[in-house]
Amino acid sequence: MKHSPSMSSCDSCSNKFETIFKHLTQEEHDMISLDKNCEPYKKGSVIYHEGNRISGCYCISSGIIKIYKTGIDGKEQIITFAKNGDIIGFRSVLSGELACTTAKVIEDSSLCFIPGDTFIQLFKQNREFSMDLMQLACKELGEANAYITDIAQKTVRERLAEILILLKDNFHLDNEQFLQITLTREELANIVGTATESVIRLLSEFKSDKLIELHGRRIKITDINGLKKVGNIF
Amino acid sequence: MKHSPSMSSCDSCSNKFETIFKHLTQEEHDMISLDKNCEPYKKGSVIYHEGNRISGCYCISSGIIKIYKTGIDGKEQIITFAKNGDIIGFRSVLSGELACTTAKVIEDSSLCFIPGDTFIQLFKQNREFSMDLMQLACKELGEANAYITDIAQKTVRERLAEILILLKDNFHLDNEQFLQITLTREELANIVGTATESVIRLLSEFKSDKLIELHGRRIKITDINGLKKVGNIF
DNA sequence: GTATTAATATGATTTATATCATAACTTAAT
DNA sequence: ATTAAGTTATGATATAAATCATATTAATAC
């Protein structure tokens, strides 16, 4: 590894090469490495804005990015979180459309940039990469369908319980059973699609019901099955 | 055209060849034609069920299919409608996942079947086809993000107005300005994500406000701009 | 054409949740 | 360390929309 000063971040991207980039040839591998521009991003910085044209994709080597869309009153609707190993921006790059979401750093991150041209060339020349990427898009489509149905049909209580379980699944619990992602109540509300106060009240209820414990913004999940039951998760 | 008895339906698929299949070679074109199985489906019949494994994709040569997901109380959440020229089922085929939606015929239809193997082979061997399909998936992803944000943030009134405009855009108005798709109030409710009675009431209001006219189930849109304003569409 | 079923319409009531208001606590900035 | 800004918490009130109930109309089945 030539990138000795940021070796840890590039190692992380190499790990990602075992997933979406796992079928690249060594030459293609180098092609990305050559173009790769691994940069640190501070909490709060914006990777790309909704409505802008994106010049390339980003591979996340560390940190957490929230992907959200802004609605009519300027309220955020968080669509998903991207973490170590995920790619963001591929939708706009491949479709040639403007970004339909904004990507903002919620935990100091390190991202590797892949120019759009390179990405598209890879897609076109490596059938396995294109298949992997297609499968990723299809998986995301399936998740979106579920998200739509849940927002439309589940109560806010059910939704919040479900979100906590999803956060556990995506970011895992540490040794003390705390979620390893820290969100404001407003951010949780922006995932659930409800008012901040409603989230605060429900978290308080979940705490009373011994489903979770609250330590400042840190959330300890104490009864996973209880939460699954509340969230109607099967 | 050798399919003389169902020539009109195959003509329609040929027209579709000008879009998602527009970059197939003549050989690949024939490959699909050979495998193609163009069948009539009566209103009410189910093309594929949520939870099942799909053996191939369907290209719609005529008619209308509703694509929906069933929620926890057995309620439908309609995700989209597919019409002449659209493909359904590609998500599951390419991702290898079970169908996450159900496809049901709401107007007598004619569908051409493309076996999954064939479809995947086409994806792998024709870079232009794979690119077109990828762009279709990315477009759908973008639409899903908007759908999620709208359901979460817009009022039912706004949503219904917006849905009417979307139906107009997708299915167009006939010479008398009637929507060329006929849905029950329940189905409209299942798109908006609300109760049937709420849709009935709002349609009645829209009628009073001279935004639409109601003739049985047929809806005439009389004030497109008025509806856009109500729906907060820019 | 008739009977049955499904859909539509309307009114009343209930419920979930948003909004408003205020105080207390935590985090960020200097 | 102090101050300012942001977040969290709680209570009260308002609102949108769901649910329940019933009657009417339209579509479907035979």
Side-chain angles (χ1 to χ4, degrees), chain A residues 43 155-156 193-195 197-198 201 217:
Chain A
K43 174 176 174 175
T155 64
V156 168
T194 187
E197 291 95 326
S198 298
R201 288 178 218 278
R217 284 207 212 142

Side-chain angles (χ1 to χ4, degrees), chain B residues 84-136:
Chain B
N84 164 258
D86 294 334
I87 327 185
I88 62 174
F90 77 85
R91 195 204 70 83
S92 302
V93 165
L94 289 172
S95 66
E97 292 179 352
L98 304 180
C100 70
T101 56
T102 297
K104 190 169 189 177
V105 179
I106 61 171
E107 278 181 28
D108 287 0
S109 303
S110 182
L111 275 68
C112 308
F113 180 73
I114 306 170
D117 292 349
T118 306
F119 199 79
I120 291 176
Q121 186 182 343
L122 275 186
F123 182 88
K124 286 179 174 176
Q125 78 184 18
N126 185 320
R127 72 180 53 166
E128 283 173 307
F129 176 67
S130 58
M131 194 52 162
D132 288 340
L133 200 59
M134 189 70 211
Q135 289 182 342
L136 175 63

Side-chain angles (χ1 to χ4, degrees), chain A residues 75 77 147 151 156 159 188-195, chain B residues 151-153:
Chain A
K75 195 175 193 290
Q77 177 59 44
Y147 200 160
I151 292 202
V156 168
R159 286 274 301 148
L188 281 172
N190 288 344
I191 310 174
V192 172
T194 187
Chain B
I151 294 204
Q153 301 190 0

Side-chain angles (χ1 to χ4, degrees), chain B residues 9-24:
Chain B
S9 59
C10 290
D11 273 348
S12 183
C13 287
S14 294
N15 288 336
K16 186 56 190 175
F17 291 158
E18 299 307 318
T19 54
I20 196 63
F21 297 114
K22 65 192 170 187
H23 288 127
L24 293 198

Side-chain angles (χ1 to χ4, degrees), chain B:
Chain B
M1 282 293 177
K2 302 176 202 166
H3 307 262
S4 194
S6 59
M7 186 161 82
S8 70
S9 59
C10 290
D11 273 348
S12 183
C13 287
S14 294
N15 288 336
K16 186 56 190 175
F17 291 158
E18 299 307 318
T19 54
I20 196 63
F21 297 114
K22 65 192 170 187
H23 288 127
L24 293 198
T25 64
Q26 184 59 43
E27 187 175 18
E28 289 165 338
H29 215 134
D30 294 338
M31 187 168 127
I32 294 199
S33 297
L34 281 179
D35 294 346
K36 195 158 54 176
N37 183 12
C38 220
E39 300 258 9
Y41 289 80
K42 305 292 297 182
K43 174 178 176 175
S45 52
V46 176
I47 312 296
Y48 63 79
H49 282 93
E50 180 176 347
N52 286 359
R53 185 160 298 282
I54 304 187
S55 56
C57 307
Y58 299 83
C59 171
I60 302 169
S61 59
S62 72
I64 306 181
I65 314 285
K66 73 177 171 182
I67 311 293
Y68 65 91
K69 197 172 172 63
T70 302
I72 46 177
D73 297 325
K75 193 174 192 293
E76 290 176 9
Q77 178 59 44
I78 293 175
I79 306 289
T80 190
F81 295 98
K83 61 186 193 301
N84 164 258
D86 294 334
I87 327 185
I88 62 174
F90 77 85
R91 195 204 70 83
S92 302
V93 165
L94 289 172
S95 66
E97 292 179 352
L98 304 180
C100 70
T101 56
T102 297
K104 190 169 189 177
V105 179
I106 61 171
E107 278 181 28
D108 287 0
S109 303
S110 182
L111 275 68
C112 308
F113 180 73
I114 306 170
D117 292 349
T118 306
F119 199 79
I120 291 176
Q121 186 182 343
L122 275 186
F123 182 88
K124 286 179 174 176
Q125 78 184 18
N126 185 320
R127 72 180 53 166
E128 283 173 307
F129 176 67
S130 58
M131 194 52 162
D132 288 340
L133 200 59
M134 189 70 211
Q135 289 182 342
L136 175 63
C138 290
K139 181 166 172 289
E140 286 187 16
L141 264 179
E143 283 165 0
N145 289 342
Y147 200 160
I148 285 165
T149 305
D150 284 350
I151 294 204
Q153 301 190 0
K154 286 190 174 177
T155 64
V156 168
R157 168 189 289 272
E158 287 167 336
R159 288 272 300 149
L160 180 59
E162 185 178 31
I163 295 300
L164 291 176
I165 294 292
L166 282 175
L167 290 174
K168 172 198 68 83
D169 290 342
N170 284 333
F171 296 98
H172 313 300
L173 304 177
D174 64 20
N175 292 332
E176 302 172 282
Q177 303 303 111
F178 282 94
L179 275 177
Q180 292 186 79
I181 175 174
T182 301
L183 302 168
T184 63
R185 301 297 184 256
E186 185 175 20
E187 277 163 339
L188 280 172
N190 288 344
I191 311 173
V192 173
T194 188
T196 308
E197 289 96 326
S198 298
V199 161
I200 291 170
R201 288 179 218 280
L202 283 168
L203 284 179
S204 188
E205 270 183 45
F206 288 174
K207 175 178 158 192
S208 294
D209 296 339
K210 305 289 195 276
L211 299 172
I212 61 175
E213 278 178 20
L214 302 175
H215 296 257
R217 286 210 210 139
R218 294 172 70 220
I219 299 178
K220 179 185 212 175
I221 300 194
T222 48
D223 184 359
I224 293 178
N225 287 326
L227 267 188
K228 283 182 175 178
K229 200 183 193 85
V230 171
N232 272 305
I233 308 177
F234 309 103

Side-chain angles (χ1 to χ4, degrees), chain A residues 52-90:
Chain A
N52 287 359
R53 184 158 300 280
I54 304 187
S55 57
C57 307
Y58 298 83
C59 173
I60 302 169
S61 59
S62 70
I64 306 181
I65 314 284
K66 73 178 171 182
I67 311 292
Y68 65 91
K69 196 171 174 60
T70 303
I72 48 178
D73 297 323
K75 195 175 193 290
E76 290 176 9
Q77 177 59 44
I78 293 177
I79 306 290
T80 190
F81 295 97
K83 63 187 191 296
N84 164 256
D86 293 335
I87 328 183
I88 62 175
F90 76 85

